[in-house]
């Protein structure tokens, strides 16, 4: 929590503090409410959630009157908005002796490969046996990068020849995982987004071949928090192509747009489960609404 707070406090452009300052004015006139809306929109919270939050705040502050504890009202309403009653547990365990299979999807550069490595590290620290699949075969560097993570974390990485079929690598990775009786197989996939049909073919095939051997327990969409609306468009395309079960929001350390958490959860109807807070091996954390809001409020 401390680390999240440090990372967010400096970089969020003061979303929480900005709101708090506005709400603490002596008179909450229409201009002030407009500024509050602008602040939320500028942080990528999205139009509808912004309207709902402002409505809630207006009502509560009117009801509670001059004696209201503005900070705790804001905190409560932000936590409710961010929490959205979603289950954020990572599904990494299979059933009936089969490993859990985690597919990691997203556009190139979002931080997929790095995230696969970091998740492996977390699972290994919990004494789970893990195998990685380097199915991002279109980017030779991605395969090497994952191999390096494998060495660092101490897990096997199944890789194919450069340019080989991603689905065949994914198949081989899960086959190896089943054979070795590991707990979880994490598959790094390719993220070319030139055309939706191609992406759908490719990810669909990866999922199908994997499911011949073990159920896919989690499909994590990796999104770069710094890409704002562009990231939202990507998120939409991926969610149309594959059943996304969780979001990993990377580069939150470098974004003033923390509101994208709310926007993307609302858009896809799935929770943010993990956040990336830097490039280092330990810079991936489970997402908890309370800690996130506390970090925003500083
Ligand atoms: P991929 O193409 O989606 O597999 O992306 P990579 O895993 O290769 O990551 C792209 C770049 O983003 C690399 O330089 C990573 O170190 C960096 N990166 C990934 N996650 C984070 C994060 O949470 N914060 C920051 N600052 N950089 C990150």
């Amino acid at each position: 929590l401390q680390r999240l707070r440090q990372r967010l406090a400096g970089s969020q452009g003061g979303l929480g503090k900005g709101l708090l300052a506005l709400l603490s004015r002596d008179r909450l006139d229409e201009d002030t409410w407009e500024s509050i809306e602008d602040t939320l929109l500028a942080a990528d919270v999205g139009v509808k959630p912004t309207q709902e939050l402002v409505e809630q705040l207006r009502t509560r502050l009117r009801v509670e009157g001059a004696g209201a504890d503005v900070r705790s009202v804001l905190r409560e309403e932000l936590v409710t908005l961010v929490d959205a009653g979603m289950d954020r547990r990572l599904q990494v365990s299979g059933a009936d002796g089969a490993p859990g299979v985690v597919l990691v999807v997203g556009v190139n550069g979002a931080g997929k490969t790095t995230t696969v490595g970091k998740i492996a590290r977390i699972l290994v620290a919990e004494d789970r046996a893990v195998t990685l699949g380097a199915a991002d075969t279109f980017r030779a560097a991605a395969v090497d990068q994952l191999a390096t993570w494998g060495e660092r974390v101490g897990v096997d990485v199944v890789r194919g020849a450069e340019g080989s079929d991603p689905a065949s690598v994914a198949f081989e990775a899960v086959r190896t995982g089943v054979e070795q009786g590991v707990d979880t197989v994490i598959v790094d996939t390719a993220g070319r987004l030139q055309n939706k049909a191609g992406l759908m073919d490719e990810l669909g095939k990866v999922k199908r071949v994997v499911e011949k051997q073990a159920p896919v327990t989690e499909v994590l969409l990796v999104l770069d928090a710094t890409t704002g609306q562009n990231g939202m468009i990507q998120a939409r395309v991926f969610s149309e192509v594959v059943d996304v079960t969780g979001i990993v929001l990377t580069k939150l350390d470098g974004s003033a747009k923390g509101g994208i958490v709310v926007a993307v959860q609302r858009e896809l109807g799935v929770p943010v489960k993990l956040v990336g807070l830097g490039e280092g091996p330990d810079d991936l954390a489970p997402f908890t609404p309370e800690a996130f809001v506390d970090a925003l409020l500083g």
Side-chain angles (χ1 to χ4, degrees):
L1 173 62
Q2 193 51 37
R3 210 153 50 93
L4 179 66
R5 182 171 291 161
Q6 283 168 2
R7 294 281 159 91
L8 286 176
S11 62
Q12 291 296 309
L15 169 62
K17 283 189 198 121
L19 289 176
L20 207 51
L22 287 165
L23 287 166
S24 304
R25 287 185 181 171
D26 287 340
R27 248 173 48 81
L28 291 175
D29 54 20
E30 285 311 310
D31 281 351
T32 307
W33 284 113
E34 246 174 60
S35 302
I36 289 168
E37 272 188 20
D38 291 345
T39 304
L40 289 163
L41 291 173
D44 275 346
V45 172
V47 176
K48 271 188 92 174
T50 292
Q51 286 167 348
E52 287 168 21
L53 178 63
V54 166
E55 201 45 50
Q56 271 300 110
L57 290 170
R58 284 183 92 130
T59 308
R60 283 198 58 183
L61 293 175
R62 197 184 308 130
V63 171
E64 295 179 29
D69 179 349
V70 173
R71 189 177 206 282
S72 65
V73 168
L74 178 61
R75 180 181 187 277
E76 270 177 43
E77 292 304 329
L78 283 173
V79 169
T80 303
L81 186 72
V82 172
D83 181 66
M86 289 172 159
D87 182 358
R88 289 168 208 280
R89 282 169 302 183
L90 217 49
Q91 304 300 329
V92 293
S93 301
D96 304 326
V101 179
V102 180
L103 300 184
V104 180
V105 308
V107 294
N108 287 338
K112 266 191 318 297
T113 305
T114 308
T115 297
V116 170
K118 290 173 176 173
I119 296 174
R121 190 175 157 92
I122 291 173
L123 297 183
V124 166
E126 291 171 356
D127 276 336
R128 288 170 176 275
V130 177
T131 296
L132 303 182
D136 187 354
T137 55
F138 293 94
R139 218 161 53 88
V143 175
D144 291 339
Q145 202 182 326
L146 198 66
T148 305
W149 272 101
E151 279 166 28
R152 190 188 282 176
V153 177
V155 300
D156 284 343
V157 179
V158 174
R159 52 194 289 177
E162 193 182 335
S164 59
D165 181 13
S168 77
V169 178
F171 181 86
E172 197 50 32
V174 177
R175 198 190 61 73
T176 305
V178 169
E179 199 175 274
Q180 296 180 346
V182 300
D183 301 301
T184 308
V185 181
I186 313 174
V187 180
D188 189 16
T189 66
R192 295 166 309 155
L193 236 191
Q194 297 95 323
N195 81 64
K196 192 167 138 188
L199 185 75
M200 195 174 294
D201 271 4
E202 194 167 292
L203 288 180
K205 193 170 164 201
V206 165
K207 194 155 184 251
R208 276 197 309 280
V209 302
V210 164
E211 281 182 330
K212 284 185 183 153
Q213 309 169 84
V216 171
T217 50
E218 188 86 77
V219 178
L220 293 176
L221 171 63
V222 178
L223 274 187
D224 177 342
T226 63
T227 57
Q229 283 310 307
N230 202 8
M232 290 295 296
I233 294 167
Q234 292 165 13
R236 217 167 288 147
V237 172
F238 274 94
S239 71
E240 284 164 14
V241 167
V242 63
D243 286 329
V244 175
T245 56
I247 299 155
V248 182
L249 208 54
T250 59
K251 310 186 193 180
L252 209 53
D253 50 309
S255 170
K257 310 258 179 174
I260 192 153
V261 169
V262 174
V264 75
Q265 289 188 154
R266 186 70 70 103
E267 173 76 28
L268 303 192
V270 299
V272 172
K273 292 192 169 179
L274 297 162
V275 286
L277 299 165
E279 299 190 78
D282 292 320
D283 292 330
L284 185 76
F287 180 77
T288 49
E290 290 82 4
F292 178 71
V293 170
D294 283 340
L296 283 182
L297 292 174

